[in-house]
Amino acid sequence: MATFVDRYPEEAKVVQATLVVSFISLGIGAFFGLIQALHRTNVLRVIDSVDYYTVLTGHGVLLALWFTIFFLVGLFTWAIVKGFERPVPDIRLTWAWVGLMTTGAVLATIAILAGFVPEIPMSADVLYTFYAPLQAHPVFYIGTAMFIVGTWIAGADWFLAYRGWRQDNPDERIPLQAFMVLTTMIMWFVSTLGVAVSVVVFLIPWSLGIIDTVNPLLTRTLFWYFGHPVVYFWLMPAYLLWYTVLPKLAGGRLFSDPLARVVFVLFVLLSTPVGIHHQYLDPGIAEGFKFIAMTNTMFLLLPSLLTAFTVVASVEHGARQRGGEGYLRWLGALPWRDPAFAGMALAGLMFAAGGFSGMINAGMNINYLVHNTLWVPGHFHMTVGTAVALTMMAGTYWLLPQLTGKPVYSRPIGLLQVITWFVGMVFMSNAMHRGGLLGIPRRTAEPQYQNFDFVAAVGSISEIRMQIALGGVLLFVSVVIFLFNVAATWADDRVDTPVDDTIPEPLSSSSGAPLVLDNLALWTGIAVVLVILAYTLPLAGIISDAGLFGGSRGFSVAFSLEWLVDATVAAVTNVSLDSLAGVAPVDAVVDSLQEVSR
């Protein structure tokens, strides 16, 4: 049986190249994460606290953007080619977007790493959320813009493949994996417009000195217009693997093709009009708009619940095909010794837990309690840090043999790796959530307020810190094991059939799905309308309040209180008891101060 690399050798090289960049980013980002975990917990400090923010930026950007999205474009290229069973339209175009994305990522990373060297007049300590008023070097913004444009070209490449396939197959349903790729890219095209405008129109000119000021709330809102859909952009590769590969590894097949299509359509419609729920504490946005964002966010529970039902039903079907019985005993029939299956299943379990903490983040009143605390990175590490990252690593154990023609170097080592990641994340995310409930802040090198002691109802702050440090160490060890296993696989010898890459037809096939689900133009139009309805008035209000580029140049916080003392004394001496009759005391003092000012 010919594998993917035999049928499509050029496309296999493209996917291999994107995975190389992805895994290099994973290694560097994980090392930065280890430094953070040890620094914040005061277990081991090897950097100054000033450099902590450079480490934090590198950790966020390299893992949340480079690692995840380079893996995504590789996986999606594989899925498009495999789904349509034809090569990409023009391999030169494919290599062009790979080169553009890589160049942009390298430039932005150089700008970040330069922050460690004071002699280099370049830094980008703006964290993962790169909006004003923090300012990075222009190279960082230019590199980020190149990276985003590269993803747009990648999407265009896949839609060109779809157009060619559709011309030859006018009456067929879009293959499921290709459908998932195309709907995800529609969401990406819509959502990245915000961050593209922010970077190109405001941040690059501002960092170059072409304009003096920007409107911080506007750049923040444009970032979060993109910042929440990007979470689903990360999740969609995991969903693709959960829906199509995980049931096969369990020994069965997908429960329902129509339900899978509905889920991806719902993400196209619902993922973008919700970004304002990241801005509940921003005073420049009316409470009504925040309430609308909260309501929209709650609708996103629907595709997540549909996914839980469909994937679990598919896995249970596979277990029963393997002889599993009973209400829960079928779980024992699953292939838990397979690192690809075990990693994806554990990632899905962690994602379910992250969904519950995400509901807390989505609610306005409860969000106020945890917004700027360790609770938020605890949730983030459950969802992106495990549901996405662990699925990608586990999926690599099934995907890499198809791309190289070589079996995984060691499946037991792979199993150890995914379990180590899961255990490490249990320690870290549990401690972060508990620390967040105590009010421990995030985004700080020194997580302790002056003259304030956190008191834990259960355990202690020292115990919470040790859990974070232990979790960080285990996660880094897991990454080292993963990279070793991948490198050893690449260095191994080829075999004829390293893996069975066939994906069985779903129990409920695409013929049962309404034809309207494949109408990509319709869903794109509705998504754009929903975005316009959700963002037109908030953006108009932000611009009318402070201008398109901001109207204030700032002011000095150093001032003298002498004038206030003199004015108060003069006001008090001018106030008589007779003049206070029928007048509120505050009003009397205000009137006297106005008189003095004249």
Side-chain angles (χ1 to χ4, degrees), residues 141-195:
Y141 296 126
I142 293 170
T144 304
M146 292 172 62
F147 176 80
I148 293 172
V149 172
T151 63
W152 290 350
I153 300 174
D157 191 14
W158 301 327
F159 272 95
L160 288 174
Y162 166 63
R163 186 181 67 174
W165 175 86
R166 177 57 76 192
Q167 290 173 349
D168 296 337
N169 303 272
D171 299 323
E172 291 189 25
R173 304 302 298 270
I174 303 174
L176 181 59
Q177 285 188 321
F179 179 86
M180 293 175 170
V181 172
L182 298 176
T183 49
T184 300
M185 291 311 298
I186 290 173
M187 178 190 71
W188 183 246
F189 286 139
V190 174
S191 65
T192 48
L193 291 176
V195 73

Side-chain angles (χ1 to χ4, degrees), residues 284-447:
I285 299 177
E287 293 297 300
F289 297 135
K290 297 175 184 177
F291 180 81
I292 293 172
M294 179 186 70
T295 304
N296 291 340
T297 303
M298 295 304 174
F299 284 118
L300 277 167
L301 290 173
L302 178 57
S304 296
L305 292 174
L306 287 174
T307 296
F309 169 79
T310 308
V311 173
V312 171
S314 303
V315 171
E316 181 182 353
H317 169 72
R320 296 192 183 279
Q321 293 297 108
R322 299 167 64 93
E325 298 177 346
Y327 286 111
L328 293 176
R329 285 188 294 115
W330 57 266
L331 290 168
L334 293 170
W336 292 107
R337 294 182 180 275
D338 182 351
F341 173 84
M344 290 189 206
L346 292 174
L349 180 63
M350 186 70 80
F351 182 61
F356 289 110
S357 66
M359 293 174 64
I360 302 298
N361 299 338
M364 288 179 63
N365 292 341
I366 309 178
N367 180 281
Y368 294 157
L369 301 176
V370 300
H371 177 81
N372 207 36
T373 72
L374 268 183
W375 175 283
V376 175
H379 164 75
F380 197 74
H381 281 80
M382 272 187 166
T383 52
V384 180
T386 302
V388 174
L390 184 55
T391 297
M392 289 180 172
M393 288 185 282
T396 300
Y397 293 129
W398 188 77
L399 183 64
L400 193 59
Q402 301 180 46
L403 304 173
T404 61
K406 305 172 182 180
V408 173
Y409 174 73
S410 174
R411 290 162 62 89
I413 289 178
L415 184 61
L416 172 66
Q417 181 263 313
V418 298
I419 293 175
T420 302
W421 184 278
F422 182 79
V423 173
M425 195 59 76
V426 167
F427 280 116
M428 174 175 280
S429 61
N430 166 66
M432 284 182 168
H433 280 88
R434 290 173 55 205
L437 293 177
L438 299 175
I440 297 177
R442 60 179 173 135
R443 291 172 166 168
T444 59
E446 307 296 335

Side-chain angles (χ1 to χ4, degrees), residues 502-554:
T502 58
I503 296 178
E505 287 294 319
L507 290 172
S508 176
S509 67
S510 59
S511 60
L515 291 174
V516 71
L517 290 177
D518 284 7
N519 191 338
L520 301 180
L522 172 65
W523 305 123
T524 303
I526 296 176
V528 170
V529 170
L530 292 175
V531 167
I532 292 173
L533 293 175
Y535 273 95
T536 299
L537 292 179
L539 289 175
I542 292 169
I543 294 171
S544 64
D545 287 342
L548 189 62
F549 295 96
S552 173
R553 293 178 178 270

